[in-house]
Amino acid sequence: SVKWQKELFKDVEIDTSQPPYVFKCQLFDLTGVPPERQKIMVKGGLLKDDADWEKLGVKAGQKLMMMGTADEIIKSPEKGTVFVEDLPEEEQVAAVGHTAGLFNLGNTCYMNSTLQCLHSVPELKSALIDYSHSGRNNDVDQSSHLLTVATRDLFSELDKSVKPVAPMQFWMVLRKKYPQFGQLHNGVFMQQDAEECWTQILYTLSQSLRSSGSSENTDAVKALFGIELNSRIYCQESNEESSETESVYSLKCHISQEVNHLHEGLKHGLKSELEKASAVLGRSAIYLKESRINALPRYLTVQFVRFFWKRESNQKAKILRKVDYPLELDIYDLCSDELKKKLEAPRQFLRNEEGKKLGLKVNEKSSVPKENDVKMSDAEGSSNGEPSVAPMEEGEKETQMTGVYDLVAVLTHKGRSADSGHYVGWVKQENGKWIEFDDDNPKPRLQDDITRLSGGGENLLN
């Protein structure tokens, strides 16, 4: 007999020609306790799976004690097995974990990767849905209206499909609005620049999605992607100085021999030289322009400036230098003093939250209400085919900026030639996993794969 918890099992047969493990399997059938969890006491010790029954001296009618926890009884499923292919398409998307890829319509990888990065921004999709209700403004020309509608419809189709989508309508409208994307060479559509495509689409959407009914004339695209820069322009030769404010959709990461990291390149990008007429000198002179960020967007786009015009060969060339970038980018030191003051309280709250996670005591006095803070995500913008990133946020709509962005999308250009190669979009999903959108073939990727791109494209520097 075997005693287990409050139960006693009588007349349990032991086949002494078989190892004790077989006996444990019999007990598993009776109790539900797996053999590996069973502890059976025999002569003051535990019964081992390969013990010799004869040496143990077990006798007929002997009482054994067993300890162990039974597995939960597995219930048969209420519903039968359902295959992913049999689910409605919306549910298939959720099951697969990512939306559809885009067919290449003939050197349209630059467009496909740009669209996949923009498609990753939920607030942009919401604004496009609202556009269908508000309709076309009188200020928006017909071609911009059609491109906005085509973007909305394509995003909707991507969200509902796991099978590749052919963006034919969007491409036709894009070429009509911007004829440069319809250039042919020997009867074949030419490879175009992803950064130019990104900029033109955002410019068009900013015109269409501007709320004309509002007294503030809200620009949804500017709120999501617009960066306000304050610049000081001065001439050392004449001591002339002026200032200007401008709004841009991306920061430039300029690449040189001194630039090994994204942050260094951004600092270079906020300084430039320009030649213009000097009223004091009565001739042209060199002016230095130094810029600081005065207002941050929800999604920060960074352009790696890798393509340039090579005068000696009279053609476009690509800089192949490796430039590392982080998964989390802090641009506090690139901001104006005025903006830094606004960022202090949210940043202190962010530090406090991180400190709590580490078990540290924090100063609560300087923190701001949790519901007003959100950790911004970082968008890397593909410049001339380099990493194009769109940042993604997880908080409420009303949020305090911190100057800290999390990487959510990258657009890369593979290859060494500026006029060929291949564009690919890399997008972080809501579940935190990365998907490489290589036209119609989305592939899961590891986070390490993203940082290894080094701002230049897969296998750029072997």
Side-chain angles (χ1 to χ4, degrees), residues 3-42:
K3 178 77 166 62
W4 173 66
Q5 295 182 354
K6 295 181 180 180
E7 297 188 56
L8 179 65
F9 300 94
K10 298 180 178 179
D11 300 324
V12 180
E13 293 187 2
I14 296 177
D15 184 350
T16 55
S17 66
Q18 299 291 331
Y21 185 79
V22 175
F23 174 58
K24 287 186 176 183
C25 291
Q26 290 175 251
L27 296 180
F28 174 53
D29 290 336
L30 292 172
T31 64
V33 180
E36 61 270 16
R37 290 194 206 156
Q38 295 178 17
K39 292 183 179 179
I40 302 172
M41 307 300 295
V42 179

Side-chain angles (χ1 to χ4, degrees), residues 378-396:
D378 163 59
E380 271 210 331
S382 142
S383 127
N384 291 340
E386 286 324 320
S388 164
V389 186
M392 210 142 74
E393 265 299 311
E394 297 178 1
E396 298 79 5

